[in-house]
Amino acid sequence: MLDCFVNDAGTAFAGGTSFPRRFGLFFWGNGTLPHRWTPEGVGEGDAWTLSDQLAPLASVKDLISVISGTEVRVNNQIPHYSGAAGFLSGHAPLGEEGDNTFAAPSIDQVIAAGIGGETLYRSLEFGAYPGSGLSFNGPNSSNPPESSPHAMFERLFGVGFVAPGDDPVLDPRLGLRRSVLDAVLEQTHSLRTQVGVADAARLDQHLSGIRDLELRLARMQENPPSLESCSLPAEPPLDDAIATLSERNRLLVDLGVMAFACDQTRVWSDFLTHPVHNFIFPGTNAGQHRLTHDELDPQSMVHDTVIQAMDEFRYIVEALAAVPEGDETLLDHCAVLATSDVSLGRTHALDEFPIVTAGTAGGFLRTGLHYRSETRESASHVMLSLVRSMGIVAASFGEDDALVTDGLEELEA
Amino acid sequence: LTNAQYENSIHDVLGADLFVPTDNEPDYRLRGFLSVGAGSASISPRGVERFEQAAFSVAEQAMEPGVREGLMECDPVLGAGDSCTRTELARLGRSLWRRPLLAAELDAIAAVVTEAGIALPDPWDAFEFGLALLLQSPHFLYRVELGHEGISDVFARSYDDWELASRLSYLLWNTTPDPELLDAAEAGDLSTDIGLDLQVERLLSSPRAREGMRAWFGDMMHLAELDDLYKDPGVFLHMSDSLGASARGETLQFFEHIAFDQSADLRTIATSRTTFLNREMAALYEVRAPEREGFGQVDLAGDGQRIGILGQASLLALAAHPVSTSPTLRGKFVREVLLCQLIRAPLAGVDTAIPPVTEEAPTLRERVAQHLTDPGCAGCHDPMDNIGLGLENFDGIGRFRTHDEGALIDSSGKVDEDLFEDPVGLAQLLRRHDDFAACLVKSFVRYANGAGEGEGQAEGLDWFVYEQGLDQHKLTSLISTYVGSAFFRQAGVLDVAPASPSGDDDDDDDSAGAGR
């Protein structure tokens, strides 16, 4: 496990002079076409040009970095899942009789454990295409994503939301709800002493959820942080009124961006789609997973789906860059990772792994860069850099062949 | 608890008219069953938050004027003169937690209600907090069934009466024990064979047992996934938003008819021609709708290709792609779900492309032929595809067809070494397959125990399957054999929990639950 703690830079937030760092994950399922994904040229600025599949990112090229040529070093035993778990957690997944789960926390939860404790929500998970997501606290302990913008709005900005400058409403029920949770906490603790190892681990997760909720209820009665860009967003339409996957994703992202701006959370994950998903993208004639396996070369429909996913990533980068924070933007205080579960879907390949980052996390990461690994370095190096970019002191990321103790030097400023 | 059990339990204890939010935490499938997931997966922080909101939503509704009178046997009052709060918390708590509350537990809950009574002027509002506490408790949200060490055998932890009541009720009715069952537990009846049999008989004679057993079959067949059925309506003209629910309705009524109305051999589900269709399903199957509204019994033509569970749209649509069929997915479903065989995931790094439609290879049979000839693929694909190809006469949502891409479909195939000519032959082979009867038993035990088989239980299962064979594979005998067995009465060996991780529990307590 990581030995996580946060140094001063990660949390400095006093006096409005320094802003907290945030982490975002953007995930899409079933990979890329690597030969049309990798950019031409390496280095910074004009030294490289975007590839076909990355073309949608033209408007934000200086705000992102592309890392190509790395590989996820886990035994690729479970197609799609080995890559997702291997990259996001640095551990090969556990799989018994087809029940796949992560052996260790995914990167968003590694980071949330380090920097999530100060906000109303330790982390948020959302995703336009319904599914169980890839945010894990540990084995069989996942954080399922929200796919309804309206439900997410109610949760973040519904009853109890206090905008900067407003006074919190002092509701006696909030205190009583905490008393109820205290009693539930007590019962759960007591039960924990009587059960086996596996159930004790489940109850530990439950206990941590109860403590998070207690803390949230307490903080709802405090004055909110004074943040210039925080305001109550418009209420999104109900689910039935949302026509496309893209529209749904952007509504969710808008709420996620405002949750960052209001410092309600510092970590979120956006799952546009999932490994093995069979969503039929506009302009294609079959489920996307099916296409990756069955469409004939040059797989132009698969190509089109990757383009559509990258356009969603562009939207995220632009939305974060549009929010001012001090003299900079919200994006400047973020590290956002965009990735998938495989590179070439047809063969479930784990080399040439698709990795794009956005934001500098307060000057820690370089942008405008294409770094190409000529030696098939472990993709875990990128993860360790991202964890450290949050101000978290971490000695390593991953285990066995995926274990690294160094970040990716070229990505770090 | 699964989401269905959560909803059923609240409806039964607090009132059938209450709105119970069930999107708190998605059900999680393990070892093929949502019921196993409910026994193994953790609740996420968001889930804890949702369960808290749901608890207050339910408690608030229950304390509304006009509702509370039907629920409460007395009126709570504020202050020292209140004798009602404690007795009502104890009564409702016993039903929700499926056991009597310990005095210390009751004290803690009553103290919260007292605290609420100081802040809020209305005693009903104050009681709401006690009710919400009962509903958020791990003793309600989890089925706490630990078992107790016996004197004679330290490895066999026997369930006590309360635990048996809970196990029996969730198994047969998919809900919390009713007052009569709790009274039987309190009287110690359930730890006697006679007392237990009496309750099994009583619960089975109720229509609710049909609901409970539908829950098993639906879980086994993955029917919940029909809610998210995703098919291209441009390809499948009969696709609609309600097709998934209609297909599920057919399969569940079909199962109920065989298991209860006919009390027949469960293996009949492979070969029965009697099914239940509504208008939508009748249109899909091209038969006359038996009823204007709802489902009615239909006897499918005896010489047709549509027969048994393999001919039902639920299975045929679930095990297929959004725009086409999939012999592989269908064969996999039959192997894994109906025969309880494990199919290994495909090797990573294999190029999985299926060749295009050509004049020489117009149908999927020719196109997937590589699966069956390439030795690297055939080991796993042969046993799946050769079953699935037998169902190619049914398209991706289960509509009958004779041609694919203009070519006549050949629906022959083989199960292990036995050849078949068409779906009817496949259904008959399935019915006779030894693993099919064994799989029904194994699935039932997994579902009922909410767990995979523990160490040393596999042999017990073999014996169980044998017994079941002697008794004509009836559901009622399956249930009574199970209830009489150690699978039902005894918990596995308990791994001893380590001390709490340091820093996690400085206030580690002790008293309340210790003697349970």
Side-chain angles (χ1 to χ4, degrees), chain A residues 263-332:
Chain A
D263 204 32
Q264 286 173 303
T265 191
R266 293 177 188 173
V267 178
W268 52 241
S269 304
D270 176 23
F271 299 94
L272 179 69
T273 55
H274 306 286
V276 206
H277 79 89
N278 256 326
F279 176 66
I280 306 173
F281 274 92
T284 68
N285 68 9
Q288 206 266 352
H289 176 241
R290 175 90 193 287
L291 282 177
T292 62
H293 289 299
D294 293 358
E295 194 192 359
L296 298 179
D297 282 333
Q299 296 210 320
S300 51
M301 285 189 282
V302 172
H303 176 66
D304 192 28
T305 66
V306 179
I307 296 277
Q308 293 184 48
M310 285 306 102
D311 202 45
E312 296 308 308
F313 184 54
R314 174 195 58 78
Y315 183 84
I316 292 176
V317 178
E318 288 184 343
L320 291 167
V323 176
E325 276 195 339
D327 299 334
E328 300 171 310
T329 71
L330 175 55
L331 181 68
D332 292 323

Coordinates of all heavy atoms in Angstrom, one line a residue, chain A residues 263-332:
Chain A
D263 N -15.3 23.8 -4.3 CA -14.5 23.0 -3.4 C -15.4 22.0 -2.6 O -15.2 21.8 -1.4 CB -13.7 23.8 -2.5 CG -12.4 23.1 -1.9 OD1 -11.9 22.2 -2.7 OD2 -12.0 23.3 -0.8
Q264 N -16.3 21.4 -3.3 CA -17.1 20.3 -2.6 C -16.4 19.0 -2.7 O -16.7 18.1 -1.9 CB -18.5 20.2 -3.3 CG -19.4 21.4 -2.9 CD -20.7 21.3 -3.7 OE1 -20.7 21.3 -4.9 NE2 -21.8 21.3 -3.0
T265 N -15.6 18.9 -3.7 CA -14.7 17.7 -3.8 C -13.5 18.1 -4.5 O -13.4 19.1 -5.2 CB -15.4 16.5 -4.5 OG1 -14.7 15.3 -4.3 CG2 -15.5 16.8 -6.0
R266 N -12.4 17.3 -4.3 CA -11.2 17.5 -5.1 C -10.8 16.4 -6.0 O -9.8 16.4 -6.6 CB -10.0 17.8 -4.1 CG -10.3 19.1 -3.4 CD -9.3 19.5 -2.3 NE -9.7 20.7 -1.6 CZ -9.1 21.1 -0.5 NH1 -8.0 20.5 0.0 NH2 -9.6 22.2 0.1
V267 N -11.7 15.4 -6.0 CA -11.4 14.2 -6.9 C -12.7 13.8 -7.5 O -13.7 13.6 -6.9 CB -10.9 13.0 -6.0 CG1 -10.6 11.8 -6.9 CG2 -9.6 13.4 -5.3
W268 N -12.7 13.6 -8.9 CA -13.8 13.0 -9.5 C -13.3 12.1 -10.7 O -12.2 12.2 -11.2 CB -14.9 13.9 -9.9 CG -14.8 15.1 -10.7 CD1 -15.1 16.4 -10.3 CD2 -14.4 15.3 -12.1 NE1 -14.9 17.3 -11.3 CE2 -14.5 16.6 -12.4 CE3 -14.0 14.4 -13.1 CZ2 -14.2 17.2 -13.7 CZ3 -13.7 14.9 -14.3 CH2 -13.8 16.3 -14.6
S269 N -14.2 11.2 -11.0 CA -14.0 10.3 -12.1 C -15.2 10.3 -13.0 O -16.3 10.3 -12.6 CB -13.8 8.8 -11.7 OG -12.8 8.7 -10.7
D270 N -14.9 10.4 -14.4 CA -16.0 10.5 -15.3 C -15.8 9.3 -16.3 O -14.8 9.2 -17.0 CB -15.9 11.8 -16.1 CG -16.9 11.9 -17.3 OD1 -17.9 11.2 -17.2 OD2 -16.7 12.6 -18.2
F271 N -16.8 8.4 -16.2 CA -16.7 7.2 -17.1 C -17.7 7.4 -18.3 O -18.9 7.1 -18.1 CB -17.1 5.9 -16.3 CG -16.2 5.7 -15.1 CD1 -16.5 6.2 -13.8 CD2 -15.0 5.0 -15.3 CE1 -15.6 6.0 -12.8 CE2 -14.1 4.8 -14.3 CZ -14.4 5.3 -13.0
L272 N -17.2 7.8 -19.4 CA -18.0 8.1 -20.5 C -18.7 6.7 -20.9 O -19.9 6.7 -21.1 CB -17.2 8.6 -21.7 CG -18.0 8.8 -23.0 CD1 -19.0 10.0 -22.8 CD2 -17.1 9.1 -24.2
T273 N -17.9 5.7 -21.0 CA -18.4 4.3 -21.3 C -17.5 3.4 -20.5 O -16.7 3.8 -19.7 CB -18.2 4.0 -22.8 OG1 -16.8 4.2 -23.2 CG2 -19.1 4.8 -23.7
H274 N -17.7 2.1 -20.6 CA -17.0 1.1 -19.8 C -16.3 0.1 -20.7 O -16.6 -0.1 -21.9 CB -18.0 0.4 -18.9 CG -18.8 1.3 -18.1 ND1 -18.3 2.0 -17.0 CD2 -20.0 1.8 -18.2 CE1 -19.2 2.8 -16.5 NE2 -20.3 2.7 -17.2
P275 N -15.3 -0.7 -20.1 CA -14.8 -1.8 -20.9 C -15.9 -2.7 -21.4 O -16.8 -3.0 -20.6 CB -13.9 -2.5 -19.9 CG -13.6 -1.5 -18.8 CD -14.8 -0.6 -18.8
V276 N -15.7 -3.2 -22.6 CA -16.7 -4.1 -23.2 C -18.1 -3.5 -23.4 O -19.0 -4.2 -23.7 CB -16.8 -5.4 -22.4 CG1 -17.2 -6.6 -23.3 CG2 -15.5 -5.8 -21.7
H277 N -18.2 -2.2 -23.3 CA -19.6 -1.6 -23.5 C -20.0 -1.8 -25.0 O -19.1 -1.8 -25.9 CB -19.6 -0.2 -23.1 CG -19.0 0.7 -24.2 ND1 -19.7 1.3 -25.2 CD2 -17.7 1.1 -24.4 CE1 -19.0 2.0 -26.0 NE2 -17.7 1.9 -25.6
N278 N -21.3 -1.9 -25.2 CA -21.8 -2.0 -26.6 C -22.7 -0.9 -27.0 O -23.7 -1.1 -27.7 CB -22.5 -3.4 -26.7 CG -21.6 -4.4 -27.5 OD1 -20.9 -4.0 -28.4 ND2 -21.7 -5.6 -27.1
F279 N -22.4 0.3 -26.5 CA -23.2 1.5 -26.9 C -23.0 1.6 -28.4 O -21.9 1.5 -29.0 CB -22.7 2.7 -26.2 CG -23.4 4.0 -26.6 CD1 -24.7 4.2 -26.4 CD2 -22.7 5.0 -27.3 CE1 -25.4 5.3 -26.9 CE2 -23.3 6.1 -27.8 CZ -24.6 6.3 -27.5
I280 N -24.1 2.0 -29.1 CA -24.0 2.2 -30.5 C -23.8 3.7 -30.7 O -24.7 4.5 -30.6 CB -25.2 1.7 -31.3 CG1 -25.5 0.3 -31.0 CG2 -25.1 1.9 -32.8 CD1 -26.8 -0.3 -31.5
F281 N -22.6 4.1 -31.0 CA -22.3 5.6 -31.2 C -23.0 6.1 -32.4 O -23.2 5.4 -33.4 CB -20.8 5.8 -31.3 CG -20.1 6.0 -30.0 CD1 -19.5 4.9 -29.4 CD2 -20.0 7.2 -29.4 CE1 -18.9 5.0 -28.1 CE2 -19.4 7.3 -28.1 CZ -18.8 6.2 -27.5
P282 N -23.4 7.4 -32.4 CA -24.0 8.0 -33.6 C -23.0 7.8 -34.8 O -21.8 7.9 -34.7 CB -24.0 9.5 -33.3 CG -24.1 9.5 -31.8 CD -23.3 8.3 -31.3
G283 N -23.6 7.5 -35.9 CA -22.8 7.3 -37.1 C -22.2 5.9 -37.3 O -21.4 5.6 -38.2
T284 N -22.5 5.0 -36.3 CA -22.0 3.6 -36.4 C -23.2 2.7 -36.4 O -24.3 3.0 -36.1 CB -21.0 3.2 -35.3 OG1 -21.8 3.2 -34.1 CG2 -19.9 4.3 -35.1
N285 N -22.9 1.4 -36.8 CA -24.1 0.5 -37.0 C -24.0 -0.7 -36.1 O -24.8 -1.7 -36.3 CB -24.2 0.1 -38.5 CG -23.0 -0.8 -38.9 OD1 -22.2 -1.2 -38.1 ND2 -22.9 -1.1 -40.2
A286 N -23.2 -0.7 -35.1 CA -23.2 -1.9 -34.1 C -22.6 -1.4 -32.8 O -22.0 -0.3 -32.7 CB -22.4 -3.0 -34.7
G287 N -22.8 -2.2 -31.8 CA -22.3 -1.9 -30.5 C -20.7 -1.7 -30.6 O -20.1 -2.3 -31.4
Q288 N -20.2 -0.8 -29.8 CA -18.8 -0.4 -30.0 C -17.8 -1.5 -29.7 O -16.8 -1.7 -30.4 CB -18.5 0.8 -29.1 CG -17.4 1.7 -29.6 CD -16.0 1.3 -29.0 OE1 -16.0 0.5 -28.1 NE2 -15.0 1.9 -29.5
H289 N -18.1 -2.3 -28.7 CA -17.2 -3.5 -28.4 C -17.2 -4.4 -29.6 O -16.1 -4.9 -30.0 CB -17.6 -4.2 -27.1 CG -16.8 -5.4 -26.8 ND1 -17.3 -6.7 -26.8 CD2 -15.5 -5.6 -26.7 CE1 -16.4 -7.5 -26.5 NE2 -15.2 -6.9 -26.4
R290 N -18.4 -4.7 -30.1 CA -18.5 -5.6 -31.2 C -17.7 -5.1 -32.4 O -17.0 -5.8 -33.1 CB -20.0 -5.7 -31.5 CG -20.4 -6.4 -32.7 CD -20.6 -7.9 -32.4 NE -20.7 -8.7 -33.6 CZ -21.8 -8.6 -34.4 NH1 -22.8 -7.9 -34.1 NH2 -21.7 -9.3 -35.5
L291 N -17.8 -3.8 -32.6 CA -17.1 -3.2 -33.8 C -15.6 -3.4 -33.6 O -14.9 -3.7 -34.6 CB -17.4 -1.7 -33.8 CG -18.7 -1.2 -34.4 CD1 -18.8 0.3 -34.3 CD2 -18.8 -1.7 -35.9
T292 N -15.1 -3.2 -32.4 CA -13.6 -3.3 -32.3 C -13.1 -4.7 -32.7 O -12.0 -4.9 -33.1 CB -13.2 -3.1 -30.8 OG1 -13.7 -4.0 -29.9 CG2 -13.5 -1.7 -30.4
H293 N -14.0 -5.7 -32.5 CA -13.6 -7.1 -32.9 C -14.0 -7.4 -34.3 O -13.3 -8.2 -35.0 CB -14.2 -8.1 -31.9 CG -13.6 -8.0 -30.5 ND1 -12.3 -8.2 -30.3 CD2 -14.1 -7.7 -29.3 CE1 -12.0 -8.1 -29.0 NE2 -13.1 -7.8 -28.4
D294 N -15.1 -7.0 -34.7 CA -15.6 -7.5 -36.0 C -15.5 -6.5 -37.2 O -15.6 -7.0 -38.3 CB -17.1 -7.8 -35.9 CG -17.4 -9.0 -34.9 OD1 -16.4 -9.5 -34.4 OD2 -18.5 -9.3 -34.7
E295 N -15.3 -5.3 -37.0 CA -15.3 -4.4 -38.1 C -14.0 -4.6 -38.9 O -12.9 -4.8 -38.3 CB -15.3 -2.9 -37.7 CG -15.7 -2.0 -38.9 CD -15.5 -0.5 -38.6 OE1 -15.1 -0.1 -37.4 OE2 -15.6 0.3 -39.5
L296 N -14.1 -4.6 -40.2 CA -13.0 -4.8 -41.1 C -12.1 -3.6 -41.1 O -12.5 -2.5 -40.9 CB -13.5 -5.0 -42.5 CG -14.4 -6.2 -42.7 CD1 -14.8 -6.3 -44.2 CD2 -13.7 -7.5 -42.3
D297 N -10.8 -3.9 -41.3 CA -9.8 -2.7 -41.5 C -10.3 -1.8 -42.6 O -10.9 -2.4 -43.6 CB -8.4 -3.3 -41.8 CG -7.8 -3.8 -40.5 OD1 -8.1 -3.3 -39.5 OD2 -6.9 -4.7 -40.6
P298 N -10.2 -0.6 -42.5 CA -9.4 0.1 -41.5 C -10.2 0.5 -40.2 O -9.8 1.4 -39.5 CB -8.9 1.4 -42.2 CG -10.1 1.7 -43.2 CD -10.7 0.4 -43.5
Q299 N -11.3 -0.2 -40.0 CA -12.1 0.1 -38.8 C -12.5 1.6 -38.6 O -12.2 2.2 -37.6 CB -11.4 -0.4 -37.5 CG -11.2 -1.9 -37.5 CD -11.1 -2.5 -36.1 OE1 -10.6 -1.9 -35.2 NE2 -11.8 -3.6 -35.9
S300 N -13.1 2.1 -39.7 CA -13.4 3.5 -39.7 C -14.5 3.9 -38.7 O -14.5 5.0 -38.2 CB -13.7 4.0 -41.1 OG -14.7 3.2 -41.6
M301 N -15.3 2.9 -38.4 CA -16.4 3.2 -37.4 C -15.7 3.3 -36.0 O -16.1 4.1 -35.1 CB -17.5 2.3 -37.5 CG -18.4 2.6 -38.6 SD -20.0 1.7 -38.6 CE -19.4 0.1 -39.2
V302 N -14.8 2.3 -35.7 CA -14.1 2.3 -34.4 C -13.4 3.7 -34.3 O -13.4 4.3 -33.2 CB -13.1 1.2 -34.3 CG1 -12.3 1.3 -33.1 CG2 -13.9 -0.2 -34.3
H303 N -12.7 4.0 -35.4 CA -12.0 5.3 -35.4 C -13.0 6.5 -35.0 O -12.6 7.3 -34.2 CB -11.4 5.6 -36.8 CG -10.8 6.9 -37.0 ND1 -9.6 7.2 -36.3 CD2 -11.1 8.0 -37.7 CE1 -9.3 8.4 -36.6 NE2 -10.2 8.9 -37.5
D304 N -14.1 6.5 -35.6 CA -15.1 7.5 -35.3 C -15.5 7.6 -33.8 O -15.7 8.6 -33.3 CB -16.3 7.3 -36.2 CG -17.2 8.5 -36.2 OD1 -16.7 9.6 -36.0 OD2 -18.5 8.3 -36.4
T305 N -15.6 6.4 -33.2 CA -16.0 6.4 -31.8 C -14.9 7.0 -30.9 O -15.2 7.6 -29.9 CB -16.3 5.0 -31.3 OG1 -15.2 4.2 -31.3 CG2 -17.4 4.3 -32.1
V306 N -13.6 6.7 -31.3 CA -12.5 7.3 -30.5 C -12.5 8.8 -30.7 O -12.3 9.6 -29.7 CB -11.2 6.7 -31.0 CG1 -10.0 7.3 -30.2 CG2 -11.2 5.2 -30.8
I307 N -12.8 9.3 -31.9 CA -12.9 10.7 -32.1 C -14.0 11.3 -31.2 O -13.8 12.4 -30.6 CB -13.3 11.0 -33.6 CG1 -12.1 10.5 -34.5 CG2 -13.6 12.5 -33.8 CD1 -11.0 11.5 -34.7
Q308 N -15.1 10.6 -31.1 CA -16.2 11.2 -30.3 C -15.8 11.2 -28.8 O -16.2 12.1 -28.1 CB -17.5 10.4 -30.5 CG -18.0 10.5 -31.9 CD -19.4 9.8 -32.1 OE1 -20.3 9.9 -31.3 NE2 -19.5 9.0 -33.2
A309 N -15.1 10.2 -28.4 CA -14.6 10.2 -27.0 C -13.7 11.3 -26.7 O -13.7 12.0 -25.7 CB -14.0 8.8 -26.7
M310 N -12.8 11.6 -27.7 CA -11.8 12.7 -27.5 C -12.5 14.0 -27.5 O -12.0 15.0 -26.8 CB -10.7 12.6 -28.6 CG -9.7 11.5 -28.4 SD -8.9 11.6 -26.7 CE -9.8 10.3 -25.9
D311 N -13.6 14.1 -28.2 CA -14.3 15.4 -28.2 C -14.9 15.6 -26.8 O -15.0 16.8 -26.4 CB -15.4 15.4 -29.3 CG -15.8 16.8 -29.7 OD1 -14.8 17.7 -29.9 OD2 -17.0 17.1 -29.8
E312 N -15.3 14.6 -26.2 CA -15.8 14.7 -24.8 C -14.7 15.2 -23.9 O -14.9 16.0 -22.9 CB -16.4 13.4 -24.3 CG -17.7 13.0 -25.1 CD -18.7 14.1 -25.1 OE1 -19.1 14.7 -24.1 OE2 -19.1 14.4 -26.3
F313 N -13.5 14.6 -24.1 CA -12.3 15.0 -23.3 C -12.0 16.5 -23.5 O -11.7 17.3 -22.6 CB -11.1 14.1 -23.5 CG -9.9 14.5 -22.6 CD1 -10.1 14.5 -21.3 CD2 -8.7 14.7 -23.2 CE1 -9.0 14.8 -20.4 CE2 -7.6 15.1 -22.4 CZ -7.8 15.1 -21.0
R314 N -12.0 16.9 -24.8 CA -11.8 18.3 -25.1 C -12.8 19.2 -24.3 O -12.4 20.2 -23.7 CB -12.0 18.6 -26.6 CG -12.0 20.1 -26.9 CD -12.5 20.4 -28.3 NE -13.9 20.0 -28.5 CZ -15.0 20.6 -28.1 NH1 -14.8 21.7 -27.4 NH2 -16.2 20.1 -28.3
Y315 N -14.1 18.8 -24.2 CA -15.1 19.5 -23.5 C -14.6 19.7 -22.0 O -14.8 20.8 -21.5 CB -16.4 18.8 -23.6 CG -17.5 19.6 -22.9 CD1 -18.2 20.7 -23.6 CD2 -17.9 19.4 -21.6 CE1 -19.1 21.4 -23.0 CE2 -18.9 20.1 -21.0 CZ -19.5 21.1 -21.7 OH -20.5 21.9 -21.1
I316 N -14.2 18.6 -21.4 CA -13.7 18.7 -20.0 C -12.6 19.7 -19.8 O -12.6 20.6 -19.0 CB -13.3 17.3 -19.5 CG1 -14.4 16.4 -19.5 CG2 -12.6 17.4 -18.2 CD1 -14.1 14.9 -19.1
V317 N -11.6 19.6 -20.7 CA -10.4 20.5 -20.6 C -10.9 22.0 -20.8 O -10.5 22.8 -20.0 CB -9.4 20.1 -21.7 CG1 -8.2 21.1 -21.6 CG2 -8.9 18.7 -21.4
E318 N -11.7 22.2 -21.7 CA -12.2 23.6 -22.0 C -13.0 24.1 -20.8 O -12.9 25.3 -20.4 CB -12.9 23.7 -23.3 CG -12.0 23.6 -24.5 CD -12.7 23.8 -25.8 OE1 -14.0 23.7 -25.8 OE2 -12.0 24.0 -26.8
A319 N -13.9 23.2 -20.3 CA -14.7 23.6 -19.2 C -13.9 24.0 -17.9 O -14.2 25.0 -17.3 CB -15.7 22.5 -18.8
L320 N -12.9 23.2 -17.7 CA -12.0 23.5 -16.5 C -11.2 24.8 -16.7 O -11.0 25.6 -15.8 CB -11.1 22.3 -16.2 CG -11.8 21.1 -15.7 CD1 -10.8 19.9 -15.7 CD2 -12.3 21.3 -14.2
A321 N -10.8 25.0 -18.0 CA -10.0 26.1 -18.3 C -10.8 27.4 -18.3 O -10.2 28.5 -18.3 CB -9.3 25.9 -19.7
A322 N -12.1 27.3 -18.4 CA -12.9 28.5 -18.5 C -13.3 29.1 -17.1 O -13.9 30.1 -17.0 CB -14.2 28.1 -19.2
V323 N -12.9 28.4 -16.0 CA -13.2 28.8 -14.7 C -12.0 29.6 -14.1 O -10.9 29.0 -13.9 CB -13.5 27.6 -13.8 CG1 -13.7 28.1 -12.3 CG2 -14.7 26.9 -14.3
P324 N -12.1 30.9 -13.9 CA -11.0 31.6 -13.3 C -10.8 31.2 -11.8 O -11.7 31.1 -11.1 CB -11.3 33.1 -13.4 CG -12.8 33.1 -13.7 CD -13.2 31.7 -14.1
E325 N -9.5 31.1 -11.4 CA -9.1 31.0 -10.0 C -7.9 31.8 -9.8 O -6.8 31.5 -10.2 CB -8.8 29.5 -9.6 CG -10.1 28.7 -9.3 CD -9.8 27.4 -8.6 OE1 -8.7 26.8 -8.7 OE2 -10.8 26.9 -8.0
G326 N -8.1 32.9 -9.0 CA -7.0 33.9 -8.9 C -6.6 34.4 -10.3 O -7.4 34.7 -11.1
D327 N -5.3 34.4 -10.5 CA -4.8 34.9 -11.8 C -4.8 33.7 -12.8 O -4.4 33.9 -14.0 CB -3.4 35.4 -11.7 CG -3.4 36.6 -10.7 OD1 -4.4 37.3 -10.6 OD2 -2.3 36.9 -10.1
E328 N -5.1 32.6 -12.4 CA -5.0 31.4 -13.2 C -6.4 30.8 -13.5 O -7.4 31.5 -13.3 CB -4.1 30.4 -12.6 CG -2.7 30.9 -12.3 CD -1.9 30.0 -11.4 OE1 -2.4 29.5 -10.4 OE2 -0.8 29.7 -11.9
T329 N -6.4 29.6 -13.9 CA -7.7 28.9 -14.1 C -7.8 27.7 -13.3 O -6.8 27.2 -12.8 CB -7.9 28.5 -15.6 OG1 -7.1 27.4 -15.9 CG2 -7.6 29.6 -16.5
L330 N -9.0 27.2 -13.1 CA -9.2 25.9 -12.4 C -8.3 24.8 -13.0 O -7.8 24.0 -12.2 CB -10.7 25.5 -12.4 CG -11.2 24.2 -11.8 CD1 -10.7 24.1 -10.4 CD2 -12.7 24.1 -11.9
L331 N -8.3 24.7 -14.3 CA -7.5 23.7 -14.9 C -6.0 23.7 -14.4 O -5.4 22.7 -14.3 CB -7.5 23.8 -16.4 CG -6.7 22.7 -17.2 CD1 -7.3 21.4 -17.0 CD2 -6.6 23.1 -18.7
D332 N -5.5 24.9 -14.2 CA -4.1 25.1 -13.7 C -3.9 24.4 -12.4 O -2.8 24.1 -12.0 CB -3.7 26.5 -13.6 CG -3.6 27.2 -15.0 OD1 -3.2 26.5 -15.9 OD2 -4.0 28.4 -15.1

